[in-house]
């Protein structure tokens, strides 16, 4: 006896899905600093001492150029005046009296000069004065400079929005198994495994 064997497969549809994905990444803050260290910028000046000893040195003979020129320049002018005046008087005395009989004008003039020199020597006197103390000026040490407090500034730069990336979802369908009908004939039995 003949048996009809039928093998039938149903169609199968495969579906592959991929979900949509949203990626958001925040950008880290960027830090930067400006650092200027504090400095005192201060320093002390040295103590200075000014000693003006000129008044005391001047009292016992030391004279600078300005005072020397002032003192002896005036003295030179006055000596020049008195000498010129004396020579003029002697000249007029010689003119008026030298021609007179038994005048002895030159001898009398010489005697007068000698007696004047001697009389001046007798009337000399010495004046003593205290020597003035030197002037001492002390300039104390001073602290000069302006402190710099420094500057430590931290700058933080951030982005207002996060960086995002969206991957859209996908759905794919495909024929995993097609429909099929197979038929064949066997004798004396059913072929269940074919």
């Amino acid at each position: 006896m003949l048996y009809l064997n039928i093998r039938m497969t149903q169609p199968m549809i495969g579906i592959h899905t991929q979900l949509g994905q949203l990626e958001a990444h925040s950008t880290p803050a960027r830090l930067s600093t400006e650092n200027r260290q504090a400095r005192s910028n201060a320093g002390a000046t040295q103590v200075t001492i000014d000693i003006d000893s000129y008044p005391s040195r001047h009292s016992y003979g030391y004279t600078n150029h300005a005072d020397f020129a002032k003192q002896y320049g005036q003295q030179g002018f006055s000596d020049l005046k008195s000498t010129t005046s004396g020579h003029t008087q002697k000249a007029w005395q010689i003119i008026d009296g030298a021609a007179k009989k038994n005048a002895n004008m030159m001898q009398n003039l010489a005697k007068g000069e000698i007696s004047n020199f001697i009389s001046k020597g007798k009337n000399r006197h010495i004046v003593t004065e205290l020597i003035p103390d030197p002037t001492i000026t002390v300039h104390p040490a001073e602290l000069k400079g302006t402190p710099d407090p420094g500057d430590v500034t931290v700058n933080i730069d951030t982005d207002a929005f996060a960086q995002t990336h969206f991957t859209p979802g996908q759905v794919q369908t495909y024929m995993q198994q097609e429909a099929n009908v197979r038929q064949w004939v066997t004798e004396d039995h059913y072929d269940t495994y074919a």
Side-chain angles (χ1 to χ4, degrees):
M1 175 186 227
L2 292 176
Y3 292 92
L4 176 64
N5 296 300
I6 299 173
R7 183 173 177 89
M8 185 173 59
T9 57
Q10 298 293 328
M12 293 178 65
I13 298 174
I15 299 175
H16 178 71
T17 60
Q18 180 179 353
L19 298 176
Q21 186 175 10
L22 176 63
E23 298 177 6
H25 302 285
S26 62
T27 305
R30 295 175 296 280
L31 301 178
S32 61
T33 59
E34 296 176 8
N35 188 353
R36 192 176 79 247
Q37 293 297 320
R39 295 176 181 268
S40 67
N41 289 335
T45 60
Q46 295 292 324
V47 176
T48 57
I49 301 175
D50 294 332
I51 301 174
D52 184 11
S53 61
Y54 178 71
S56 59
R57 290 186 295 156
H58 182 64
S59 66
Y60 56 82
Y62 174 80
T63 305
N64 63 18
H65 296 299
D67 288 343
F68 182 86
K70 183 178 178 182
Q71 177 184 351
Y72 289 104
Q74 292 172 353
Q75 183 179 345
F77 283 121
S78 66
D79 289 349
L80 181 63
K81 262 188 196 178
S82 64
T83 303
T84 306
S85 172
H87 286 312
T88 305
Q89 287 177 359
K90 285 180 191 177
W92 281 110
Q93 286 176 1
I94 292 170
I95 291 170
D96 289 339
K100 294 180 182 175
K101 188 177 180 180
N102 296 324
N104 294 329
M105 182 59 63
M106 300 306 289
Q107 292 175 0
N108 291 337
L109 285 175
K111 283 181 185 177
E113 287 181 6
I114 292 171
S115 64
N116 281 340
F117 181 75
I118 292 171
S119 66
K120 283 183 182 177
K122 287 181 182 176
N123 294 329
R124 287 187 182 178
H125 60 279
I126 297 174
V127 178
T128 59
E129 294 179 359
L130 291 175
I131 297 174
D133 293 331
T135 304
I136 299 174
T137 306
V138 178
H139 302 283
E142 296 179 7
L143 188 64
K144 292 187 175 181
T146 304
D148 181 7
D151 182 19
V152 179
T153 304
V154 178
N155 297 320
I156 302 174
D157 296 326
T158 58
D159 293 333
F161 301 98
Q163 296 179 356
T164 58
H165 178 69
F166 177 69
T167 304
Q170 295 179 353
V171 177
Q172 295 178 346
T173 58
Y174 57 94
M175 184 64 68
Q176 186 174 2
Q177 179 177 306
E178 294 183 359
N180 189 8
V181 176
R182 288 180 58 208
Q183 297 178 355
W184 67 96
V185 177
T186 58
E187 289 185 15
D188 297 329
H189 69 281
Y190 285 107
D191 186 2
T192 58
Y193 297 103

